[in-house]
Amino acid sequence: MTIDAKANLRTVRDALRFAVTRFNEADLAFGHGQVDAFDEASFLVMRALSLPLERMDIFLDAFLTMGEINSLLQLIERRIKSRMPAAYLLNECWLQGYRFYVDTRCIIPRSFIAELLKNELQPWIPDPNSVRRVLDLCTGSGCLAIMAANVFPDAEVDAIDVSLDALAVATRNIEEYGLRTRVRLLSSNLFEAVEGRLYDLILCNPPYVTDASMDQLPPEYQHEPRVALAGGADGMDLVRRIVREAHSQLEPGGTLVLEIGDGRSAIERSFPELPLTWLTTSAGDDVVFLAHREDLPA
């Protein structure tokens, strides 16, 4: 098949069509920034060629060199045989217009909180310049911390993760964005390293996959660190801890924004008296919630 492909691929369009067909035939799983075989093929082909994905139409009929054809065919086959997401194969992921370096030491960024940050968390944060301290719990690649530093220009940002491997990736991303003086990385089990430090805003996209779901994850997701996904029996082990502990880490009037996947019913059972504001994202109205310090359990 590879020899036949080499003989027939000429343009970017040819490579894209071939990749979509192969990915569909292989019944791959998606969801790491791309939703289907076409999205995955477009990302892999265009970024492997160092071309802008958003201007793909301009390049579709451009001829490929033999070296480019060979490289693309190898990547396409690696994606199929290893079942490794394209982001890991390319060491690159995009989230709301931000480019991040990624490898298997960290989860591939895909937080729905990023959509809310793009709009400065308005109307819940009416004045971005009033935010002085932000905490990003479970920072992973550092993506939300970096976005927060850009959205809230006067804020100091602390970014915490229990994984030293993930923090190494986050360090690289923070340096690439020139934010070493504004984003502080900390190794910590949730709030332990910042006990007593108060924040105007706490962001967190924690592990929230249930034990039952962890056992059924497609191979693509098994390349990601288990610690970044597994959330316990109902997925809410860390979420409950964060809700119970966040009050003492927030300034008066401070805000907690927490992503919980499909755990809404579990969190509402755990905290039936807690008034939560469910925020609208592309995934629906029950994936991310907001809570004010004054409403959180003291």
Side-chain angles (χ1 to χ4, degrees), residues 10-18 57 59-62 64:
R10 291 289 183 269
T11 66
V12 173
R13 188 188 303 273
D14 294 336
L16 178 62
R17 198 283 306 157
F18 177 75
D57 288 350
F59 299 98
L60 282 175
D61 294 314
L64 299 166

Side-chain angles (χ1 to χ4, degrees), residues 213-286:
S213 296
M214 286 295 297
D215 294 337
Q216 300 173 17
L217 286 176
E220 280 83 353
Y221 291 84
Q222 295 175 23
H223 287 286
E224 295 185 295
R226 185 178 178 88
V227 68
L229 295 172
D234 65 356
M236 295 293 105
D237 284 2
L238 281 184
V239 173
R240 277 187 285 267
R241 280 187 58 193
I242 293 163
V243 170
R244 293 188 182 110
E245 298 174 17
H247 179 278
S248 62
Q249 301 288 159
L250 285 167
E251 293 277 8
T255 303
L256 169 69
V257 177
L258 194 53
E259 182 172 330
I260 63 166
D262 58 0
R264 177 170 181 169
S265 59
I267 205 66
E268 288 181 338
R269 285 195 303 271
S270 297
F271 302 97
E273 305 301 321
L274 181 61
L276 301 176
T277 300
W278 293 93
L279 309 183
T280 299
T281 71
S282 61
D285 299 331
D286 55 2

